[in-house]
Amino acid sequence: MNLFITDKGFVISRWTEAFPDAQVQLAAEADHLLSSLDRVWILTGTQNWQERISFFTEKGIKVIALTRAEETTELRSALNAGARAYLNALSNPAILQQAAQTVDSGGLWLPSEMINKVIRVISGLLSEQEKPECDLSSLTDREKEVAAAVVKGGSNKEIARDLDITERTVKAHLGSIFEKLGVRDRMHLLLIMKGRS
């Protein structure tokens, strides 16, 4: 079961669209619900939200932090408290389900813009003179262009614009790149391309 902990007056119908079994509770009423919980979704900014994340995490329950406005400081607080995901509370049902699947498989879900910022920072820290240690010969020329753009921290939208292709095409190229190079995600691709993994 999914439990959404929120403030009075902030209940989003997309939550129950994504998870029809979900229960939505006000922060003040939620601590007693522990049995049969698969995930707890906690709205940041609610009373004692960080303590609630820690409480449920310590009980072995996966916690996802929902935010009204993505902020790096709030993200850090959520992760430090034990959250396994951080995303906008107004995300569509498909995104909510993807976040849940990622967390269930042991992954960490973060907003794509924040991931791209992290990639830009890491890419800048790694030496520009390093040659890729991975074999890129299996990639098409276009896939190599997409991979290089990801390593520079480009979002799918930015890559699509720069290469004059659609975002759907970028996603298709990324799927192919990940499969051919045996990488899990954009961060893993960055490390492979920079010869660090």
Side-chain angles (χ1 to χ4, degrees), residues 110-183:
L110 303 175
S112 60
E113 261 316 300
M114 291 191 159
I115 290 172
N116 289 331
K117 286 179 186 176
V118 169
I119 288 174
R120 284 186 202 110
V121 169
I122 291 173
S123 184
L125 294 175
L126 298 175
S127 169
E128 293 298 315
Q129 284 79 18
E130 289 183 33
K131 301 282 186 220
E133 290 183 7
C134 62
D135 180 10
L136 302 180
S137 63
S138 64
L139 302 183
T140 65
D141 288 342
R142 183 60 93 180
E143 288 170 347
K144 289 175 186 174
E145 291 175 325
V146 170
V150 167
V151 169
K152 291 178 184 169
S155 67
N156 288 357
K157 189 175 198 172
E158 291 166 337
I159 295 169
R161 184 189 65 235
D162 293 346
L163 298 179
D164 197 27
I165 56 178
T166 66
E167 284 187 65
R168 177 177 276 184
T169 303
V170 172
K171 289 178 184 177
H173 284 312
L174 282 173
S176 178
I177 291 164
F178 292 169
E179 184 176 332
K180 288 178 180 179
L181 297 181
V183 299

Side-chain angles (χ1 to χ4, degrees), residues 18-110:
F19 305 101
D21 72 333
Q23 286 191 28
V24 180
Q25 296 284 325
L26 297 181
E29 304 167 350
D31 288 340
H32 68 283
L33 296 169
L34 279 176
S35 60
S36 72
L37 289 178
D38 297 313
R39 284 170 232 100
V40 176
W41 306 69
I42 297 177
L43 182 66
T44 61
T46 59
Q47 182 180 10
N48 302 321
W49 67 272
Q50 292 153 310
E51 290 84 2
R52 286 189 198 305
I53 290 175
S54 296
F55 171 79
F56 286 107
T57 299
E58 289 167 7
K59 303 289 184 195
I61 299 168
K62 297 173 187 85
V63 179
I64 296 172
L66 296 170
T67 183
R68 294 172 235 224
E70 296 165 4
E71 297 174 7
T72 306
T73 305
E74 185 179 73
L75 165 64
R76 189 177 306 119
S77 296
L79 295 179
N80 283 340
R84 298 295 306 153
Y86 177 82
L87 67 154
N88 195 298
L90 301 177
S91 296
N92 68 48
I95 297 295
L96 295 170
Q97 291 168 346
Q98 287 174 12
Q101 289 169 354
T102 298
V103 166
D104 288 350
S105 65
L108 184 67
W109 180 277
L110 303 175

